[in-house]
Amino acid sequence: MDHDNNLALNKFYYALYFAYQTGDNFEGQYKSASWLYNKYPESDFAWSVLLRSMLNLGLYDKLEVLAGNRLEEDDEDDIAIDMLINSYFSKLDFDSVDRIFQNLKDKNRLTARLYNAVAWMYLFKPVVDDAAFEYARKAVNMSNNNNTAILHT
């Protein structure tokens, strides 16, 4: 019976997270995501929704500390990298975005999705430079079928 109760509770928190997301209830999202992550710290979903809920609430410093700590343990954690980039972009901290991007480039770990994301972010710089266009072209060239519709930049 305990197993059934735990399963029902877990499903409840997953459903609650998505209900809060649908209603743009970011506080509720954060509370349910925190519960999920504390219960399942090894879950990529729980990790991702926790950081996403922090981003939605503007808890950038807290997100950056958690993601930074995770990257000290696993410097290839894509979720932490993505959320750090999003956090820095939300603050228009292009220097930090560039630092992460260059680090990934140096390690030959860039993907079409990352090139596209950074190209898109560069459109918000005060002066758009040629790098934004080059990154967008690279993203399309790297995509599986060179389909520009897949990439929104």
Side-chain angles (χ1 to χ4, degrees):
M1 188 64 172
D2 253 358
H3 174 72
D4 290 339
N5 287 338
N6 284 337
L7 185 59
L9 188 60
N10 297 340
K11 287 181 179 180
F12 171 77
Y13 273 94
Y14 278 100
L16 193 57
Y17 173 81
F18 287 113
Y20 286 140
Q21 181 180 30
T22 302
D24 289 336
N25 180 338
F26 300 134
E27 275 295 328
Q29 233 184 347
Y30 177 62
K31 288 177 184 174
S32 59
S34 296
W35 184 92
L36 285 167
Y37 181 70
N38 287 329
K39 182 85 170 156
Y40 304 103
E42 72 289 344
S43 164
D44 285 346
F45 174 79
W47 173 235
S48 176
V49 297
L50 176 64
L51 295 181
R52 173 66 58 192
S53 66
M54 289 176 175
L55 188 67
N56 289 341
L57 282 171
L59 301 174
Y60 307 123
D61 293 340
K62 191 170 185 174
L63 181 156
E64 291 163 16
V65 167
L66 279 178
N69 289 343
R70 175 70 69 98
L71 289 171
E72 286 178 14
E73 296 170 18
D74 176 8
D75 69 343
E76 294 188 8
D77 186 306
D78 291 332
I79 296 167
I81 291 167
D82 285 352
M83 288 298 130
L84 271 178
I85 288 172
N86 282 309
S87 180
Y88 292 137
F89 172 65
S90 295
K91 299 187 302 184
L92 300 179
D93 181 353
F94 294 107
D95 291 338
S96 294
V97 171
D98 289 339
R99 189 180 69 250
I100 293 170
F101 187 78
Q102 189 59 50
N103 182 31
L104 293 170
K105 190 175 183 180
D106 291 346
K107 294 177 179 178
N108 198 28
R109 291 195 43 232
L110 290 174
T111 62
R113 189 185 50 72
L114 282 170
Y115 270 113
N116 184 67
V118 172
W120 189 83
M121 289 177 195
Y122 275 24
L123 297 176
F124 290 86
K125 281 186 166 186
V127 176
V128 178
D129 60 32
D130 289 339
F133 303 111
E134 178 57 28
Y135 294 161
R137 279 191 292 275
K138 216 165 181 65
V140 171
N141 289 335
M142 289 176 75
S143 70
N144 290 337
N145 60 6
N146 290 336
N147 183 347
T148 55
I150 291 173
L151 306 165
H152 67 281
T153 305

